[in-house]
């Protein structure tokens, strides 16, 4: 099973557990926090007891802070089974599932340089017309687009990058050259 498939499977299971206990958002907070930790940081808080992996409340509070012990135990199991590098992918997929559950659309904006606050607000107001009032704006930096931006809302992509414009110009010039 690929790491991506493992992450999806674990994220779905985490969502089922969290939903059954009414703690979707607490799990989301804790999984995102644990995604930034190493597998060793997480594993040191867990131990086997009666054939179950359990988190030690005292160690969790001491090493990881205010966190649900069941999220730590779940993350220990993931780290043990699939490796610590999967924790970030599980947190990302879990976030997607929670957003989907609450009807929040994910919007990805790719720019060549980091956005300033004014540009971010302008993009958010334009995106609101595309995605509706409930969305999360994920920013990516990709210098290869040279300038401009690429916006993804679900399956819809609006490519306003300099790279795309130069590609279109190149295609036009090649077509004109071929017709001469």
């Amino acid at each position: 099973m690929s790491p991506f498939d493992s992450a999806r499977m674990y994220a779905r299971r985490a969502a089922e557990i969290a939903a059954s206990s009414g703690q979707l958002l607490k799990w989301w907070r804790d999984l995102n926090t644990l995604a930034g930790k190493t597998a060793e940081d997480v594993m040191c808080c867990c131990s086997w007891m009666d054939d179950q992996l359990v988190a030690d409340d005292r160690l969790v509070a001491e090493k990881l802070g205010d966190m649900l012990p069941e999220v730590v135990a779940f993350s220990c199991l993931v780290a043990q089974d699939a490796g610590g590098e999967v924790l970030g992918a599980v947190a990302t997929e879990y976030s997607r599932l929670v957003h989907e559950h609450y009807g929040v659309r994910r919007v990805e904006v790719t720019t060549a340089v980091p956005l300033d606050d004014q540009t971010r607000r302008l993009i958010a107001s334009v995106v609101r017309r595309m995605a509706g009032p409930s969305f999360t704006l994920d920013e990516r930096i990709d210098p290869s687009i040279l300038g401009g931006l690429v916006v993804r809302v679900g399956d819809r992509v609006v490519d306003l990058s300099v790279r795309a414009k130069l590609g279109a110009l190149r295609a036009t010039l090649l077509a004109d050259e071929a017709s001469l």
Side-chain angles (χ1 to χ4, degrees), residues 109-127 137 139 148-149 151:
V109 175
T110 303
T111 57
V113 297
L115 296 173
D116 60 42
D117 288 338
Q118 182 180 358
T119 306
R120 187 177 295 111
R121 282 191 299 273
L122 176 63
I123 291 170
S125 70
V126 172
V127 165
L137 193 65
E139 298 175 27
L149 60 123
V151 180

Side-chain angles (χ1 to χ4, degrees), residues 162-174:
V162 171
R163 179 180 61 198
K165 290 179 182 185
L166 288 173
L169 177 62
R170 181 176 188 271
T172 301
L173 291 173
L174 289 174

Side-chain angles (χ1 to χ4, degrees), residues 109-113 140-150 159-166:
V109 175
T110 303
T111 57
V113 297
R140 287 189 47 227
I141 307 297
D142 180 359
S144 74
I145 71 167
L146 304 175
L149 60 123
V150 179
D159 190 344
L160 302 171
S161 68
V162 171
R163 179 180 61 198
K165 290 179 182 185
L166 288 173

Side-chain angles (χ1 to χ4, degrees), residues 45-162:
C45 297
C46 297
S47 60
W48 286 98
M49 190 179 299
D50 298 326
D51 291 332
Q52 282 194 314
L53 194 60
V54 294
D56 180 311
D57 293 348
R58 184 186 58 76
L59 285 174
V60 169
E62 180 183 308
K63 304 242 182 220
L64 302 171
D66 179 30
M67 199 163 287
L68 293 171
E70 54 269 33
V71 177
V72 177
F74 179 84
S75 298
C76 286
L77 190 64
V78 170
Q80 183 180 23
D81 287 351
E85 65 279 353
V86 175
L87 289 175
V90 170
T92 299
E93 179 63 13
Y94 183 86
S95 293
R96 189 191 68 73
L97 292 170
V98 169
H99 286 140
E100 184 178 286
H101 174 78
Y102 287 111
V104 177
R105 299 196 62 192
R106 181 175 174 264
V107 177
E108 183 181 282
V109 175
T110 303
T111 57
V113 297
L115 296 173
D116 60 42
D117 288 338
Q118 182 180 358
T119 306
R120 187 177 295 111
R121 282 191 299 273
L122 176 63
I123 291 170
S125 70
V126 172
V127 165
R128 195 167 284 110
R129 290 186 290 235
M130 290 173 61
S134 296
F135 66 91
T136 179
L137 193 65
D138 295 336
E139 298 175 27
R140 287 189 47 227
I141 307 297
D142 180 359
S144 74
I145 71 167
L146 304 175
L149 60 123
V150 179
V151 180
R152 279 187 178 79
V153 181
D155 293 339
R156 187 172 171 197
V157 177
V158 178
D159 190 344
L160 302 171
S161 68
V162 171

